[in-house]
Amino acid sequence: MQKVWFDDRFMSDFVSSDELEHYNPAVESAQKMLENKSGPGNDFLGWLELPKAIDPATLKQISEKAEQIRSKADVLICVGIGGSYLGAKAAIEYLSPSFEQMRKPQIIFAGHTINSDYLSDLLESLKDKEVAVNVISKSGTTTEPGIAFRVIRHWMEQRYGRKEAASRIIATTDPSKGALRKLANEEGYSAFEIPGDVGGRFSVLTPVGLFPIAVAGIDIKKLMEGASQGYDLFKGRDIQSNIAGRYAAMRNILFRRGYTTEVMATFQPQLHFINEWWKQLAGESEGKDGTGIFPAGLDYTTDLHSLGQWMQEGVRSVFETFMLIKNTRSSICVPAFDDDSDGLNYLAGKTFEDINNKAYQGTLLAHLDGGVPVSTLMLEDRSEQTLGQLFYFFEKAVALSGYILRVNPFDQPGVEAYKKNMFALLGKAGFEKQREALAQRTKDMGV
Ligand code: PA5
């Protein structure tokens, strides 16, 4: 059953149906490149078949380990960044109750910033808690999670002793390569494998995302079922049968017309981190070779009171995709008051969802009138299946969109530039030459 819909009926002032039809061959060819593995980055297409191909034994192993952690830990610290962080965070925020402290174990993320205060506050908060750690890095060499894990490992070993600490640390990394794999082998950590042909930002449906999600008490079998439904729903080669292809075509048409930023505007707070995950997925996949749609995210209605003005009347270089959950889990009504002193009795008896829906309709009409091309992604509910479909929808849409844009959606050469500079400036072996030149530049620039 379909649980993710793309509605672009309001786009007709900006993109004609003929124009959209015109993109059918581009969608078809992109889809064939994925199917035949004939496009650039074809050694990173493992994500494509994951929902159908994931080994049930792996799912069982993840679930069993998750149960073990659930029974003994109050907190699971997940150490990772980028694709090794955002998918799990997005899923947990989407599917769990809003207030973390209501859940056991709490899932806390670290290693996605470089900040002593964050880490020391975190460790301070763990004093009376039972702790487990999942360190996640495909390369096993990323600086941010690497240094955070050093601190956390040291803390764990001080607290539990080396052997017990090792039994509470789970590594998720490459099957054979990298420093983390070596460390896991040496210390005897339990370890999950990230398939070599699945890139970081496409890895939410591997143990990278699935293990923390399972520890949070979420049914990963149902999540994979949803992704598998997504596989069937979004495999068509034309925009009539495949909404992922249709969405990919639409954004490319708009981009070529000068709408260079896509604003994903959500209407429920549980979608905030879906946006963060999507921003990485789309931005790292498409922003290269001097091209690429800039993916931005807004949280409505909160941001209507900060960036709503810009969206209504700013530079007309953005198109907007609304994202909404159709059925919320609860439904609170606005209460009536006899005195009506705040003048809000006209809303009494209406649910927050009725009101939010009117906010959506009002925004859609206003932004259309303001010259913003708008469309809507509607999600059925906050269930595992819907989320599985949504993850797969975005992965497929971004891959198709990247191929239509004529880039390799599966590499990220640009991410290396800052890393190389940082390594050189920090004095990593092998970067001696660059170090001198960069140190001189920072001195000249006074930074
Ligand atoms: O999509 C990607 O490949 C990156 O964003 C990575 O996920 C991120 O840099 C973290 O890399 P790693 O898992 O190797 O630590």
Side-chain angles (χ1 to χ4, degrees):
M1 181 193 163
Q2 186 163 352
K3 288 168 181 285
V4 174
W5 293 273
F6 176 58
D7 188 353
D8 59 8
R9 281 170 301 160
F10 344 105
M11 206 63 108
S12 54
D13 285 352
F14 302 91
V15 177
S16 70
S17 49
D18 280 356
E19 235 173 329
L20 198 53
E21 280 295 320
H22 220 75
Y23 261 70
N24 249 333
V27 172
E28 185 181 358
S29 130
Q31 175 62 23
K32 279 189 187 159
M33 277 156 85
L34 290 175
E35 285 169 17
N36 306 332
K37 303 197 185 320
S38 56
N42 54 5
D43 43 348
F44 281 97
L45 290 178
W47 60 272
L48 203 55
E49 303 297 328
L50 266 180
K52 299 285 183 196
I54 194 156
D55 183 1
T58 306
L59 283 184
K60 190 161 170 265
Q61 192 196 357
I62 294 172
S63 300
E64 283 173 2
K65 188 73 196 171
E67 267 320 304
Q68 201 186 322
I69 297 300
R70 283 171 66 72
S71 67
K72 76 172 181 191
D74 302 312
V75 171
L76 175 73
I77 310 176
C78 293
V79 186
I81 195 167
S84 292
Y85 152 59
L86 286 163
K89 177 77 177 165
I92 292 168
E93 294 286 316
Y94 185 85
L95 292 168
S96 306
S98 301
F99 297 95
E100 286 243 332
Q101 58 271 31
M102 287 160 70
R103 199 173 50 223
K104 184 182 170 290
Q106 251 183 292
I107 315 294
I108 295 181
F109 293 85
H112 55 296
T113 61
I114 306 176
N115 184 250
S116 300
D117 289 355
Y118 183 91
L119 261 188
S120 75
D121 290 351
L122 167 62
L123 297 178
E124 182 64 26
S125 76
L126 298 177
K127 269 195 197 142
D128 307 318
K129 306 253 169 82
E130 289 300 333
V131 181
V133 178
N134 181 201
V135 52
I136 311 166
S137 177
K138 180 156 189 222
S139 62
T141 55
T142 307
T143 309
E144 290 89 336
I147 56 176
F149 181 60
R150 273 201 169 207
V151 173
I152 292 166
R153 178 186 163 199
H154 183 256
W155 184 90
M156 292 288 284
E157 290 183 359
Q158 296 275 307
R159 169 140 179 206
Y160 292 109
R162 194 162 171 182
K163 202 163 158 228
E164 170 68 11
S167 77
R168 291 169 175 265
I169 296 174
I170 300 109
T172 306
T173 190
D174 184 274
S176 55
K177 294 193 301 271
L180 182 56
R181 173 58 59 181
K182 190 164 164 273
L183 183 68
N185 290 344
E186 283 168 6
E187 293 295 317
Y189 300 157
S190 298
F192 291 115
E193 297 183 356
I194 309 174
D197 58 357
V198 180
R201 59 191 173 276
F202 286 84
S203 68
V204 61
L205 301 174
T206 72
V208 169
L210 294 178
F211 179 65
I213 293 171
V215 176
I218 292 162
D219 189 333
I220 55 172
K221 240 177 106 193
K222 285 192 184 150
L223 184 72
M224 292 308 288
E225 269 166 32
S228 173
Q229 291 158 359
Y231 179 99
D232 296 323
L233 287 164
F234 313 131
K235 69 178 179 203
R237 288 181 175 178
D238 57 83
I239 57 170
Q240 282 77 25
S241 66
N242 182 355
I243 56 166
R246 189 177 178 97
Y247 166 63
M250 193 61 93
R251 55 204 300 282
N252 271 274
I253 295 170
L254 292 166
F255 179 65
R256 279 179 198 170
R257 196 162 296 161
Y259 296 99
T260 52
T261 297
E262 175 175 9
V263 170
M264 187 70 70
T266 64
F267 269 88
Q268 273 104 357
Q270 295 81 13
L271 291 169
H272 175 81
F273 274 95
I274 296 289
N275 242 354
E276 295 302 308
W277 172 81
W278 166 79
K279 275 158 58 181
Q280 186 208 2
L281 183 71
E284 257 184 27
S285 300
E286 294 188 322
K288 52 196 70 160
D289 307 338
T291 188
I293 300 161
F294 182 80
L298 291 180
D299 296 307
Y300 290 167
T301 62
T302 311
D303 284 332
L304 289 172
H305 298 260
S306 72
L307 288 160
Q309 170 62 37
W310 195 102
M311 289 303 292
Q312 190 65 42
E313 296 182 352
V315 188
R316 299 299 74 173
S317 59
V318 298
F319 62 102
E320 191 172 28
T321 309
F322 297 114
M323 184 159 42
L324 284 95
I325 302 164
K326 200 164 131 203
N327 300 303
T328 52
R329 288 183 184 163
S330 53
S331 192
I332 294 182
C333 283
V334 177
F337 277 91
D338 288 343
D339 57 16
D340 195 23
S341 48
D342 57 5
L344 290 176
N345 263 359
Y346 81 103
L347 296 176
K350 291 194 193 304
T351 66
F352 274 61
E353 286 57 58
D354 294 334
I355 298 168
N356 199 34
N357 201 38
K358 292 292 175 263
Y360 156 64
Q361 291 172 355
T363 309
L364 185 148
L365 295 175
H367 290 184
L368 261 184
D369 293 345
V372 181
V374 298
S375 59
T376 298
L377 274 170
M378 188 63 79
L379 318 177
E380 177 72 20
D381 52 24
R382 286 176 63 203
S383 68
E384 285 91 342
Q385 280 101 340
T386 299
L387 182 61
Q389 283 191 21
L390 183 66
F391 277 144
Y392 201 80
F393 168 83
F394 275 131
E395 289 182 350
K396 193 63 180 290
V398 162
L400 292 171
S401 183
Y403 277 163
I404 296 172
L405 201 60
R406 294 178 190 281
V407 297
N408 174 357
F410 308 111
D411 67 359
Q412 55 283 329
V415 179
E416 296 309 310
Y418 102 91
K419 283 191 194 168
K420 281 186 195 146
N421 286 351
M422 187 170 80
F423 289 154
L425 290 166
L426 285 168
K428 187 172 179 173
F431 291 84
E432 292 78 5
K433 258 203 184 141
Q434 296 95 313
R435 183 184 153 89
E436 239 171 75
L438 291 177
Q440 188 58 48
R441 272 177 75 192
T442 53
K443 196 170 162 217
D444 293 347
M445 292 163 72
V447 291

